Each structure stands twice: as C-alpha cells, then as structure tokens.
Short mmCIF file of all heavy atoms in Angstrom, two decimals:
data_model
loop_
_atom_site.label_atom_id
_atom_site.label_comp_id
_atom_site.label_asym_id
_atom_site.label_seq_id
_atom_site.Cartn_x
_atom_site.Cartn_y
_atom_site.Cartn_z
N MET A 1 6.18 -12.83 -21.31
CA MET A 1 6.22 -13.06 -19.88
C MET A 1 6.84 -11.89 -19.13
O MET A 1 6.52 -11.68 -17.97
CB MET A 1 7.01 -14.33 -19.58
CG MET A 1 6.24 -15.59 -19.79
SD MET A 1 4.86 -15.63 -18.67
CE MET A 1 4.40 -17.29 -18.72
N LYS A 2 7.74 -11.16 -19.79
CA LYS A 2 8.36 -10.03 -19.14
C LYS A 2 7.31 -8.96 -18.80
O LYS A 2 7.37 -8.34 -17.74
CB LYS A 2 9.45 -9.46 -20.05
CG LYS A 2 10.32 -8.44 -19.41
CD LYS A 2 11.21 -9.09 -18.39
CE LYS A 2 12.29 -8.13 -17.97
NZ LYS A 2 13.11 -8.66 -16.91
N THR A 3 6.35 -8.77 -19.70
CA THR A 3 5.29 -7.80 -19.45
C THR A 3 4.45 -8.21 -18.24
O THR A 3 4.09 -7.37 -17.41
CB THR A 3 4.39 -7.66 -20.69
OG1 THR A 3 5.20 -7.37 -21.82
CG2 THR A 3 3.36 -6.59 -20.49
N LEU A 4 4.19 -9.50 -18.13
CA LEU A 4 3.41 -10.00 -17.01
C LEU A 4 4.15 -9.80 -15.69
O LEU A 4 3.54 -9.45 -14.67
CB LEU A 4 3.11 -11.48 -17.23
CG LEU A 4 1.93 -12.09 -16.51
CD1 LEU A 4 0.66 -11.32 -16.81
CD2 LEU A 4 1.76 -13.54 -16.90
N GLN A 5 5.46 -9.98 -15.70
CA GLN A 5 6.26 -9.74 -14.51
C GLN A 5 6.16 -8.28 -14.08
O GLN A 5 6.02 -7.98 -12.89
CB GLN A 5 7.73 -10.06 -14.78
CG GLN A 5 8.06 -11.52 -14.78
CD GLN A 5 9.54 -11.71 -15.09
OE1 GLN A 5 10.03 -11.27 -16.12
NE2 GLN A 5 10.23 -12.36 -14.19
N ILE A 6 6.24 -7.37 -15.05
CA ILE A 6 6.18 -5.95 -14.74
C ILE A 6 4.82 -5.58 -14.17
O ILE A 6 4.70 -4.82 -13.21
CB ILE A 6 6.54 -5.11 -15.98
CG1 ILE A 6 8.00 -5.34 -16.35
CG2 ILE A 6 6.25 -3.64 -15.76
CD1 ILE A 6 8.41 -4.76 -17.68
N VAL A 7 3.76 -6.12 -14.77
CA VAL A 7 2.40 -5.84 -14.29
C VAL A 7 2.23 -6.32 -12.86
O VAL A 7 1.71 -5.60 -12.00
CB VAL A 7 1.34 -6.48 -15.23
CG1 VAL A 7 -0.03 -6.43 -14.61
CG2 VAL A 7 1.35 -5.78 -16.57
N PHE A 8 2.66 -7.55 -12.58
CA PHE A 8 2.54 -8.08 -11.22
C PHE A 8 3.39 -7.29 -10.23
O PHE A 8 3.00 -7.09 -9.07
CB PHE A 8 2.91 -9.56 -11.17
CG PHE A 8 1.85 -10.46 -11.75
CD1 PHE A 8 2.20 -11.57 -12.49
CD2 PHE A 8 0.51 -10.21 -11.54
CE1 PHE A 8 1.24 -12.41 -13.02
CE2 PHE A 8 -0.47 -11.04 -12.06
CZ PHE A 8 -0.10 -12.14 -12.81
N CYS A 9 4.56 -6.82 -10.65
CA CYS A 9 5.42 -6.03 -9.79
C CYS A 9 4.76 -4.70 -9.43
O CYS A 9 4.76 -4.29 -8.27
CB CYS A 9 6.76 -5.79 -10.46
SG CYS A 9 7.91 -4.85 -9.45
N VAL A 10 4.18 -4.05 -10.41
CA VAL A 10 3.49 -2.78 -10.17
C VAL A 10 2.29 -2.99 -9.24
O VAL A 10 2.07 -2.20 -8.31
CB VAL A 10 3.07 -2.13 -11.50
CG1 VAL A 10 2.13 -0.97 -11.27
CG2 VAL A 10 4.29 -1.68 -12.29
N LEU A 11 1.53 -4.04 -9.47
CA LEU A 11 0.38 -4.32 -8.61
C LEU A 11 0.81 -4.62 -7.17
O LEU A 11 0.17 -4.17 -6.22
CB LEU A 11 -0.45 -5.47 -9.18
CG LEU A 11 -1.23 -5.13 -10.45
CD1 LEU A 11 -1.85 -6.40 -11.02
CD2 LEU A 11 -2.28 -4.09 -10.19
N ALA A 12 1.90 -5.37 -7.01
CA ALA A 12 2.40 -5.67 -5.66
C ALA A 12 2.86 -4.39 -4.97
O ALA A 12 2.59 -4.18 -3.78
CB ALA A 12 3.53 -6.68 -5.73
N CYS A 13 3.53 -3.52 -5.71
CA CYS A 13 3.99 -2.26 -5.13
C CYS A 13 2.81 -1.37 -4.74
O CYS A 13 2.84 -0.70 -3.70
CB CYS A 13 4.90 -1.53 -6.10
SG CYS A 13 6.50 -2.34 -6.33
N LEU A 14 1.77 -1.34 -5.55
CA LEU A 14 0.59 -0.55 -5.22
C LEU A 14 -0.10 -1.10 -3.96
O LEU A 14 -0.61 -0.32 -3.14
CB LEU A 14 -0.38 -0.52 -6.40
CG LEU A 14 0.05 0.34 -7.58
CD1 LEU A 14 -0.93 0.17 -8.74
CD2 LEU A 14 0.15 1.80 -7.18
N CYS A 15 -0.13 -2.41 -3.83
CA CYS A 15 -0.73 -3.00 -2.63
C CYS A 15 0.08 -2.64 -1.38
O CYS A 15 -0.51 -2.34 -0.33
CB CYS A 15 -0.82 -4.51 -2.78
SG CYS A 15 -2.12 -5.06 -3.88
N VAL A 16 1.39 -2.67 -1.48
CA VAL A 16 2.22 -2.30 -0.34
C VAL A 16 2.03 -0.82 0.00
O VAL A 16 1.95 -0.44 1.17
CB VAL A 16 3.71 -2.62 -0.62
CG1 VAL A 16 4.61 -2.01 0.42
CG2 VAL A 16 3.92 -4.12 -0.68
N ALA A 17 1.92 0.02 -1.03
CA ALA A 17 1.72 1.45 -0.80
C ALA A 17 0.34 1.74 -0.20
O ALA A 17 0.16 2.75 0.48
CB ALA A 17 1.89 2.22 -2.11
N ALA A 18 -0.62 0.86 -0.42
CA ALA A 18 -1.97 1.07 0.10
C ALA A 18 -2.09 0.71 1.58
O ALA A 18 -3.10 1.05 2.21
CB ALA A 18 -2.97 0.26 -0.70
N VAL A 19 -1.08 0.06 2.12
CA VAL A 19 -1.17 -0.38 3.52
C VAL A 19 -1.28 0.82 4.47
O VAL A 19 -2.09 0.81 5.40
CB VAL A 19 0.05 -1.26 3.88
CG1 VAL A 19 0.14 -1.48 5.37
CG2 VAL A 19 -0.03 -2.59 3.16
N VAL A 20 -0.49 1.86 4.23
CA VAL A 20 -0.49 3.01 5.15
C VAL A 20 -1.83 3.75 5.14
O VAL A 20 -2.41 3.98 6.20
CB VAL A 20 0.69 3.95 4.84
CG1 VAL A 20 0.60 5.22 5.67
CG2 VAL A 20 2.01 3.25 5.07
N PRO A 21 -2.37 4.12 3.96
CA PRO A 21 -3.67 4.80 4.00
C PRO A 21 -4.79 3.94 4.57
O PRO A 21 -5.66 4.44 5.29
CB PRO A 21 -3.96 5.15 2.54
CG PRO A 21 -2.67 5.10 1.86
CD PRO A 21 -1.82 4.14 2.61
N VAL A 22 -4.77 2.66 4.27
CA VAL A 22 -5.80 1.77 4.83
C VAL A 22 -5.64 1.69 6.34
O VAL A 22 -6.63 1.71 7.08
CB VAL A 22 -5.71 0.36 4.18
CG1 VAL A 22 -6.56 -0.64 4.93
CG2 VAL A 22 -6.13 0.43 2.72
N GLY A 23 -4.42 1.65 6.82
CA GLY A 23 -4.19 1.62 8.26
C GLY A 23 -4.60 2.89 8.96
O GLY A 23 -5.02 2.87 10.11
N ILE A 24 -4.48 4.02 8.26
CA ILE A 24 -4.84 5.30 8.86
C ILE A 24 -6.36 5.50 8.87
O ILE A 24 -6.93 5.91 9.88
CB ILE A 24 -4.15 6.46 8.11
CG1 ILE A 24 -2.65 6.43 8.37
CG2 ILE A 24 -4.73 7.80 8.53
CD1 ILE A 24 -1.87 7.42 7.54
N PHE A 25 -7.01 5.25 7.75
CA PHE A 25 -8.42 5.59 7.60
C PHE A 25 -9.39 4.47 7.96
O PHE A 25 -10.58 4.72 8.10
CB PHE A 25 -8.70 6.06 6.18
CG PHE A 25 -7.97 7.33 5.83
CD1 PHE A 25 -7.06 7.36 4.80
CD2 PHE A 25 -8.21 8.49 6.54
CE1 PHE A 25 -6.38 8.52 4.48
CE2 PHE A 25 -7.54 9.67 6.22
CZ PHE A 25 -6.62 9.68 5.18
N CYS A 26 -8.93 3.25 8.07
CA CYS A 26 -9.82 2.12 8.37
C CYS A 26 -9.36 1.43 9.66
O CYS A 26 -8.38 1.82 10.27
CB CYS A 26 -9.82 1.13 7.21
SG CYS A 26 -10.41 1.83 5.67
N GLU A 27 -10.07 0.40 9.99
CA GLU A 27 -9.69 -0.40 11.14
C GLU A 27 -8.35 -1.09 10.87
O GLU A 27 -8.05 -1.44 9.73
CB GLU A 27 -10.74 -1.49 11.39
CG GLU A 27 -12.12 -0.95 11.70
CD GLU A 27 -12.23 -0.46 13.13
OE1 GLU A 27 -11.54 -1.01 14.00
OE2 GLU A 27 -12.99 0.49 13.35
N PRO A 28 -7.53 -1.29 11.88
CA PRO A 28 -6.24 -1.94 11.66
C PRO A 28 -6.35 -3.36 11.11
O PRO A 28 -5.41 -3.86 10.50
CB PRO A 28 -5.61 -1.96 13.05
CG PRO A 28 -6.28 -0.87 13.80
CD PRO A 28 -7.67 -0.78 13.24
N VAL A 29 -7.48 -4.00 11.31
CA VAL A 29 -7.67 -5.36 10.81
C VAL A 29 -7.66 -5.38 9.28
O VAL A 29 -7.21 -6.34 8.66
CB VAL A 29 -8.99 -5.95 11.36
CG1 VAL A 29 -9.27 -7.32 10.78
CG2 VAL A 29 -8.96 -5.98 12.86
N PHE A 30 -8.12 -4.30 8.66
CA PHE A 30 -8.22 -4.24 7.20
C PHE A 30 -6.86 -4.10 6.51
O PHE A 30 -6.78 -4.16 5.29
CB PHE A 30 -9.14 -3.11 6.77
CG PHE A 30 -10.57 -3.34 7.15
CD1 PHE A 30 -11.24 -2.43 7.96
CD2 PHE A 30 -11.24 -4.47 6.71
CE1 PHE A 30 -12.56 -2.64 8.31
CE2 PHE A 30 -12.56 -4.69 7.07
CZ PHE A 30 -13.22 -3.78 7.86
N VAL A 31 -5.78 -3.91 7.25
CA VAL A 31 -4.44 -3.83 6.68
C VAL A 31 -4.05 -5.17 6.08
O VAL A 31 -3.23 -5.23 5.16
CB VAL A 31 -3.43 -3.37 7.76
CG1 VAL A 31 -2.01 -3.47 7.28
CG2 VAL A 31 -3.74 -1.95 8.18
N VAL A 32 -4.66 -6.22 6.57
CA VAL A 32 -4.34 -7.57 6.08
C VAL A 32 -4.71 -7.73 4.60
O VAL A 32 -4.03 -8.45 3.86
CB VAL A 32 -5.06 -8.62 6.95
CG1 VAL A 32 -4.87 -10.01 6.41
CG2 VAL A 32 -4.60 -8.51 8.38
N ILE A 33 -5.73 -7.04 4.15
CA ILE A 33 -6.20 -7.20 2.76
C ILE A 33 -5.16 -6.74 1.75
O ILE A 33 -4.81 -7.51 0.84
CB ILE A 33 -7.56 -6.48 2.58
CG1 ILE A 33 -8.62 -7.15 3.45
CG2 ILE A 33 -7.98 -6.49 1.11
CD1 ILE A 33 -9.91 -6.39 3.54
N PRO A 34 -4.61 -5.52 1.85
CA PRO A 34 -3.57 -5.15 0.89
C PRO A 34 -2.29 -5.97 1.04
O PRO A 34 -1.60 -6.25 0.05
CB PRO A 34 -3.29 -3.68 1.14
CG PRO A 34 -4.21 -3.22 2.17
CD PRO A 34 -5.00 -4.37 2.66
N LEU A 35 -1.99 -6.38 2.27
CA LEU A 35 -0.81 -7.23 2.45
C LEU A 35 -0.99 -8.59 1.77
O LEU A 35 -0.06 -9.12 1.17
CB LEU A 35 -0.51 -7.42 3.93
CG LEU A 35 0.10 -6.22 4.65
CD1 LEU A 35 0.27 -6.53 6.13
CD2 LEU A 35 1.41 -5.83 4.03
N ALA A 36 -2.18 -9.14 1.86
CA ALA A 36 -2.46 -10.40 1.17
C ALA A 36 -2.38 -10.22 -0.34
O ALA A 36 -1.85 -11.09 -1.05
CB ALA A 36 -3.84 -10.92 1.57
N GLY A 37 -2.86 -9.09 -0.84
CA GLY A 37 -2.75 -8.80 -2.27
C GLY A 37 -1.30 -8.67 -2.70
O GLY A 37 -0.91 -9.16 -3.78
N ALA A 38 -0.49 -8.03 -1.87
CA ALA A 38 0.93 -7.89 -2.20
C ALA A 38 1.62 -9.25 -2.24
O ALA A 38 2.42 -9.52 -3.14
CB ALA A 38 1.62 -6.98 -1.19
N LEU A 39 1.28 -10.11 -1.30
CA LEU A 39 1.86 -11.47 -1.31
C LEU A 39 1.37 -12.26 -2.53
O LEU A 39 2.16 -13.00 -3.14
CB LEU A 39 1.50 -12.20 -0.03
CG LEU A 39 2.25 -11.77 1.22
CD1 LEU A 39 1.69 -12.48 2.44
CD2 LEU A 39 3.72 -12.06 1.07
N LEU A 40 0.12 -12.11 -2.86
CA LEU A 40 -0.43 -12.82 -4.01
C LEU A 40 0.25 -12.37 -5.31
O LEU A 40 0.69 -13.20 -6.11
CB LEU A 40 -1.94 -12.58 -4.09
CG LEU A 40 -2.65 -13.23 -5.26
CD1 LEU A 40 -2.83 -14.71 -4.99
CD2 LEU A 40 -3.99 -12.57 -5.50
N PHE A 41 0.34 -11.05 -5.51
CA PHE A 41 0.95 -10.55 -6.73
C PHE A 41 2.47 -10.80 -6.75
O PHE A 41 3.04 -11.04 -7.81
CB PHE A 41 0.67 -9.06 -6.91
CG PHE A 41 -0.76 -8.77 -7.25
CD1 PHE A 41 -1.49 -7.84 -6.54
CD2 PHE A 41 -1.40 -9.43 -8.29
CE1 PHE A 41 -2.80 -7.56 -6.83
CE2 PHE A 41 -2.72 -9.17 -8.60
CZ PHE A 41 -3.43 -8.24 -7.88
N GLY A 42 3.10 -10.78 -5.59
CA GLY A 42 4.52 -11.12 -5.52
C GLY A 42 4.77 -12.57 -5.90
O GLY A 42 5.72 -12.89 -6.61
N GLY A 43 3.90 -13.46 -5.42
CA GLY A 43 4.02 -14.88 -5.80
C GLY A 43 3.76 -15.09 -7.27
O GLY A 43 4.43 -15.88 -7.93
N ALA A 44 2.77 -14.37 -7.81
CA ALA A 44 2.49 -14.49 -9.25
C ALA A 44 3.67 -13.98 -10.07
O ALA A 44 3.99 -14.54 -11.12
CB ALA A 44 1.22 -13.71 -9.59
N MET A 45 4.31 -12.91 -9.59
CA MET A 45 5.50 -12.40 -10.28
C MET A 45 6.62 -13.44 -10.27
O MET A 45 7.31 -13.66 -11.27
CB MET A 45 5.96 -11.11 -9.61
CG MET A 45 7.15 -10.46 -10.25
SD MET A 45 7.61 -8.92 -9.45
CE MET A 45 7.84 -9.40 -7.77
N TYR A 46 6.80 -14.10 -9.13
CA TYR A 46 7.83 -15.13 -9.02
C TYR A 46 7.55 -16.30 -9.98
O TYR A 46 8.46 -16.77 -10.67
CB TYR A 46 7.88 -15.64 -7.58
CG TYR A 46 8.84 -16.76 -7.35
CD1 TYR A 46 10.20 -16.55 -7.31
CD2 TYR A 46 8.38 -18.06 -7.19
CE1 TYR A 46 11.09 -17.58 -7.11
CE2 TYR A 46 9.25 -19.11 -6.99
CZ TYR A 46 10.60 -18.87 -6.95
OH TYR A 46 11.47 -19.91 -6.76
N PHE A 47 6.30 -16.75 -10.05
CA PHE A 47 5.98 -17.87 -10.93
C PHE A 47 6.04 -17.46 -12.40
O PHE A 47 6.39 -18.28 -13.25
CB PHE A 47 4.61 -18.45 -10.59
CG PHE A 47 4.62 -19.26 -9.33
CD1 PHE A 47 3.80 -18.92 -8.28
CD2 PHE A 47 5.47 -20.34 -9.19
CE1 PHE A 47 3.82 -19.66 -7.10
CE2 PHE A 47 5.49 -21.09 -8.02
CZ PHE A 47 4.67 -20.75 -6.98
N ALA A 48 5.74 -16.21 -12.72
CA ALA A 48 5.89 -15.74 -14.11
C ALA A 48 7.35 -15.73 -14.50
O ALA A 48 7.69 -16.04 -15.65
CB ALA A 48 5.28 -14.35 -14.26
N LYS A 49 8.22 -15.41 -13.56
CA LYS A 49 9.65 -15.43 -13.85
C LYS A 49 10.13 -16.86 -14.07
O LYS A 49 10.95 -17.12 -14.95
CB LYS A 49 10.42 -14.78 -12.71
CG LYS A 49 11.90 -14.71 -12.98
CD LYS A 49 12.66 -13.99 -11.89
CE LYS A 49 14.11 -13.94 -12.24
NZ LYS A 49 14.90 -13.22 -11.28
N LYS A 50 9.62 -17.80 -13.26
CA LYS A 50 10.01 -19.20 -13.42
C LYS A 50 9.53 -19.77 -14.75
O LYS A 50 10.19 -20.64 -15.32
CB LYS A 50 9.44 -20.04 -12.27
CG LYS A 50 10.13 -19.85 -10.98
CD LYS A 50 11.49 -20.49 -11.02
CE LYS A 50 12.08 -20.55 -9.64
NZ LYS A 50 13.40 -21.14 -9.65
N LYS A 51 8.38 -19.31 -15.24
CA LYS A 51 7.82 -19.83 -16.49
C LYS A 51 8.47 -19.22 -17.72
O LYS A 51 8.31 -19.73 -18.81
CB LYS A 51 6.31 -19.55 -16.56
CG LYS A 51 5.49 -20.41 -15.64
CD LYS A 51 5.50 -21.82 -16.12
CE LYS A 51 4.17 -22.15 -16.75
NZ LYS A 51 4.06 -23.53 -17.10
N SER A 52 9.20 -18.10 -17.55
CA SER A 52 9.80 -17.45 -18.71
C SER A 52 10.90 -18.35 -19.30
O SER A 52 11.43 -19.24 -18.65
CB SER A 52 10.37 -16.09 -18.34
OG SER A 52 11.45 -16.23 -17.43
N ALA A 53 11.21 -18.10 -20.52
CA ALA A 53 12.19 -18.92 -21.23
C ALA A 53 13.57 -18.78 -20.59
O ALA A 53 13.96 -17.69 -20.15
CB ALA A 53 12.26 -18.50 -22.69
N PRO A 54 14.32 -19.87 -20.54
CA PRO A 54 15.67 -19.79 -19.96
C PRO A 54 16.59 -18.98 -20.88
O PRO A 54 16.36 -18.91 -22.08
CB PRO A 54 16.11 -21.25 -19.88
CG PRO A 54 15.30 -21.96 -20.89
CD PRO A 54 13.99 -21.22 -20.97
N PRO A 55 17.61 -18.35 -20.30
CA PRO A 55 18.51 -17.57 -21.14
C PRO A 55 19.29 -18.47 -22.09
O PRO A 55 19.49 -19.66 -21.82
CB PRO A 55 19.45 -16.91 -20.13
CG PRO A 55 19.36 -17.74 -18.91
CD PRO A 55 17.99 -18.34 -18.91
N PRO A 56 19.72 -17.94 -23.22
CA PRO A 56 20.48 -18.76 -24.16
C PRO A 56 21.79 -19.21 -23.53
O PRO A 56 22.33 -18.52 -22.66
CB PRO A 56 20.72 -17.83 -25.35
CG PRO A 56 20.53 -16.46 -24.81
CD PRO A 56 19.58 -16.57 -23.67
N PRO A 57 22.31 -20.35 -23.97
CA PRO A 57 23.57 -20.84 -23.38
C PRO A 57 24.72 -19.88 -23.67
O PRO A 57 24.78 -19.26 -24.73
CB PRO A 57 23.79 -22.20 -24.05
CG PRO A 57 22.94 -22.18 -25.26
CD PRO A 57 21.82 -21.24 -25.01
N LYS A 58 25.60 -19.76 -22.71
CA LYS A 58 26.74 -18.85 -22.84
C LYS A 58 27.77 -19.44 -23.79
O LYS A 58 28.12 -20.63 -23.69
CB LYS A 58 27.35 -18.61 -21.47
CG LYS A 58 28.48 -17.62 -21.47
CD LYS A 58 29.08 -17.43 -20.09
CE LYS A 58 30.30 -16.55 -20.21
NZ LYS A 58 31.04 -16.52 -18.96
N GLU A 59 28.25 -18.61 -24.68
CA GLU A 59 29.30 -19.06 -25.61
C GLU A 59 30.65 -18.94 -24.93
O GLU A 59 30.89 -18.04 -24.13
CB GLU A 59 29.27 -18.21 -26.88
CG GLU A 59 28.01 -18.36 -27.68
CD GLU A 59 28.03 -17.49 -28.93
OE1 GLU A 59 29.10 -16.98 -29.28
OE2 GLU A 59 26.97 -17.33 -29.53
N LYS A 60 31.53 -19.86 -25.26
CA LYS A 60 32.87 -19.83 -24.67
C LYS A 60 33.64 -18.67 -25.29
O LYS A 60 33.54 -18.38 -26.47
CB LYS A 60 33.61 -21.12 -24.93
CG LYS A 60 33.16 -22.27 -24.07
CD LYS A 60 34.09 -23.42 -24.16
CE LYS A 60 34.23 -24.02 -22.79
NZ LYS A 60 35.35 -24.93 -22.71
N ASP A 61 34.43 -18.01 -24.45
CA ASP A 61 35.32 -16.98 -24.96
C ASP A 61 36.72 -17.22 -24.40
O ASP A 61 36.98 -18.22 -23.74
CB ASP A 61 34.81 -15.58 -24.63
CG ASP A 61 34.64 -15.36 -23.13
OD1 ASP A 61 34.95 -16.26 -22.36
OD2 ASP A 61 34.17 -14.27 -22.76
N PHE A 62 37.63 -16.31 -24.65
CA PHE A 62 39.02 -16.54 -24.26
C PHE A 62 39.22 -16.53 -22.75
O PHE A 62 40.24 -17.03 -22.27
CB PHE A 62 39.92 -15.50 -24.94
CG PHE A 62 39.75 -14.10 -24.41
CD1 PHE A 62 40.55 -13.62 -23.39
CD2 PHE A 62 38.77 -13.26 -24.93
CE1 PHE A 62 40.38 -12.35 -22.91
CE2 PHE A 62 38.60 -11.99 -24.45
CZ PHE A 62 39.40 -11.54 -23.44
N MET A 63 38.27 -16.01 -21.99
CA MET A 63 38.41 -15.97 -20.52
C MET A 63 38.02 -17.29 -19.87
O MET A 63 38.41 -17.55 -18.73
CB MET A 63 37.55 -14.84 -19.94
CG MET A 63 38.01 -13.45 -20.33
SD MET A 63 39.60 -13.05 -19.65
CE MET A 63 39.19 -12.79 -17.95
N ASP A 64 37.27 -18.12 -20.56
CA ASP A 64 36.86 -19.41 -20.00
C ASP A 64 38.01 -20.41 -20.08
O ASP A 64 38.74 -20.48 -21.06
CB ASP A 64 35.65 -19.98 -20.74
CG ASP A 64 34.42 -19.15 -20.50
OD1 ASP A 64 34.34 -18.51 -19.43
OD2 ASP A 64 33.52 -19.15 -21.36
N GLY A 65 38.14 -21.22 -19.04
CA GLY A 65 39.19 -22.24 -19.03
C GLY A 65 38.79 -23.44 -19.88
O GLY A 65 37.66 -23.58 -20.32
N GLU A 66 39.71 -24.32 -20.06
CA GLU A 66 39.45 -25.53 -20.85
C GLU A 66 38.61 -26.52 -20.10
O GLU A 66 38.61 -26.74 -19.00
CB GLU A 66 40.79 -26.19 -21.23
CG GLU A 66 41.57 -25.37 -22.20
CD GLU A 66 40.92 -25.25 -23.56
OE1 GLU A 66 40.26 -26.19 -24.03
OE2 GLU A 66 41.03 -24.17 -24.15
#
C-alpha cells in the first residue's frame, strides 16, 4: 500500500504542476481538468493510507506512567 500512496502522490503533484501550462496555452476553462485529476489522485492517496495496515502497538517503556 505504501507504493500505491507514492504513485498517487506523484500523480497528484504532476496534475497540480500541469495547471500552469494548461492555463497558459489553453482556454482557462480547461484548468479544471488537471485540478479535478489532482483532487481525484489526492483522494485516492488518502483512501490508500486509510486501507494500509495499522502500526504495531507501542510497547511500554520506562517513560510511560502506570
């Protein structure tokens, strides 16, 4: 699942980076497409993180109270 998180993060970052060139070279209405992709991949990254295994329980050490 960690690999999937990284892939979705990279894709979301690429979509955000594509907003400026799309805004410069195309109609301003088309900026919505990469922004929607960034939101989609960001949401997928969030759900991949939620589906990942929970961390192991913390062991007690001398700093923990009774």
